[in-house]
Amino acid sequence: MKFTSISQSNIDELCIAFESCLTKHDITFKYVDMREDNGILSFIFCNDPDKARSVELESERFIGLDTEYIAKEILVPILPRLKEYAQK
């Protein structure tokens, strides 16, 4: 799916793409969410809510791109750290 605008349905689809990307690399978290605030998207993930982490990105940069592509571009470079964090 293309990320066509900063709408809740597009943000939800992007969150699903991020979670799917992690799952393809055998990384799972008990809690994932994506929120938008003033044009900044935050992908939030954790196993313990007190130790939540996030990856932030400027939403405007990704309009018109495929959600799976966005997920790969953002997450693949940090997969080793995500995998380590998921195991804690």
Side-chain angles (χ1 to χ4, degrees):
M1 177 180 175
K2 284 207 185 280
F3 188 75
T4 56
S5 66
I6 305 168
S7 66
Q8 192 57 51
S9 62
N10 278 310
I11 293 169
D12 291 344
E13 286 298 321
L14 186 56
C15 186
I16 291 166
F18 272 56
E19 195 169 5
S20 176
C21 181
L22 292 175
T23 302
K24 288 177 185 173
H25 291 91
D26 298 319
I27 300 171
T28 57
F29 291 100
K30 291 180 182 175
Y31 174 81
V32 295
D33 192 15
M34 187 167 283
R35 299 181 186 159
E36 185 272 335
D37 185 32
N38 293 322
I40 302 295
L41 291 173
S42 297
F43 176 64
I44 303 158
F45 51 92
C46 64
N47 289 324
D48 177 353
D50 293 330
K51 298 178 180 176
R53 302 262 175 114
S54 67
V55 174
E56 295 184 343
L57 47 140
E58 292 180 37
S59 56
E60 294 287 329
R61 289 184 40 207
F62 299 105
I63 291 177
L65 298 177
D66 185 75
T67 55
E68 289 181 19
Y69 173 80
I70 298 167
K72 288 177 189 174
E73 285 295 305
I74 299 298
L75 298 178
V76 168
I78 60 171
L79 283 174
R81 288 186 289 172
L82 291 169
K83 187 167 229 152
E84 182 181 327
Y85 181 68
Q87 294 170 351
K88 290 183 179 184

